[in-house]
Amino acid sequence: PTIQAAIDASSAGDTIVVADGFVADDSSQNSTLLDNGSKARLVITKGITLRSVSGTLDNPVYICGRKHSTAEDTVVTNHGPNSVRALYLKTPADEKAHFKGIAFINGCTGSGSSTGDTKGAGVWCDGCEESPVFEDCVVSNNVAYNGGGIWADIVGGGVAYLTNCLI
């Protein structure tokens, strides 16, 4: 089973615990196509907790996006149709997502301009109705036109809460 399969089978309020050091990338976790045509390694649309066993920065779970490239490319161009952000998050009212001991790395959006898929290559909080919480997380090496690491569109002017995170 994959992390996404566990997310899909979960209900609001559930906790998903993943082995320390686990890597979710092209070899272990397919990306999901979003309605806007972009892709994400993980898609969460309910208030759950995703954490590593230890819940620390020392040995996190790695959620890896992908820079754009094709078989014909000899140079990775970052943006393009094969790009994958690490996490897409959209939670409803009264459902808060919580992340502990997770690294969101190497994400990229599909567009390098101000139009199209431009937001949050590491994490895109897309119209979340509750403020997500990130504890002991890493957000690194993500490329986007807007909010390369994290882009938080929180309904009602809320914020994403980050505690002891490396950005």
Side-chain angles (χ1 to χ4, degrees), residues 65-154:
R66 181 181 64 221
K67 308 275 192 283
H68 171 73
S69 64
T70 64
E72 298 80 34
D73 290 339
T74 56
V75 177
V76 175
T77 58
N78 286 336
H79 305 287
N82 293 323
S83 300
V84 178
R85 70 175 36 84
L87 172 68
Y88 174 82
L89 179 65
K90 186 175 183 96
T91 54
D94 301 322
E95 293 187 25
K96 184 180 296 250
H98 187 184
F99 303 91
K100 187 162 177 55
I102 307 292
F104 303 97
I105 63 172
N106 300 333
C108 192
T109 59
S111 178
S113 70
S114 62
T115 61
D117 176 29
T118 66
K119 299 175 182 176
V123 176
W124 180 17
C125 303
D126 180 21
C128 291
E129 294 193 39
E130 294 292 332
S131 297
V133 177
F134 298 85
E135 291 183 79
D136 300 305
C137 290
V138 176
V139 181
S140 178
N141 196 33
N142 298 289
V143 180
Y145 189 84
N146 294 305
I150 298 177
W151 183 269
D153 289 323
I154 312 295

